[in-house]
Amino acid sequence: RRGAPGDVWALGVTMLYVPGKIGLPERTVAHWQIAEVRDKTGQAYRQMMAWVDSVAGIRERLDREDAVEGLVCQMLEEAPNSRVRA
């Protein structure tokens, strides 16, 4: 979804990428055409959802007691209304 909660989530993903906790999606999912994700029956959508699931898995392994990882965990909260705000 678009808006501030989506921007916070995207920044959280960036914060996973910076220390190497996750790779860029186009490097981890072969032939992912992001322009095609609107078709919820297509391969690109399934690939995107698999990548989003991997982000959720990495979120679960973050150290919530660590200042940075705890903040990133809050940024990656699945429910937009429960996500930390900018």
Side-chain angles (χ1 to χ4, degrees):
R1 297 185 177 220
R2 295 175 192 237
D7 293 343
V8 169
W9 189 87
L11 181 57
V13 170
T14 302
M15 294 298 292
L16 290 178
Y17 172 73
V18 170
K21 292 189 178 286
I22 193 169
L24 295 173
E26 62 268 17
R27 292 190 180 167
T28 58
V29 180
H31 309 295
W32 178 4
Q33 297 298 319
I34 198 160
E36 298 173 6
V37 298
R38 291 179 186 226
D39 175 10
K40 294 187 180 194
T41 63
Q43 180 178 354
Y45 181 80
R46 289 190 302 274
Q47 289 174 306
M48 180 191 71
M49 293 311 296
W51 182 78
V52 169
D53 288 344
S54 72
V55 170
I58 292 167
R59 177 186 184 266
E60 291 303 315
R61 295 190 299 273
L62 293 176
D63 179 1
R64 288 169 171 79
E65 300 299 319
D66 179 80
V68 174
E69 289 191 15
L71 177 59
V72 172
C73 187
Q74 292 176 49
M75 295 169 88
L76 297 174
E77 173 64 43
E78 185 176 345
N81 292 335
S82 298
R83 203 169 291 150
V84 68
R85 295 172 195 244

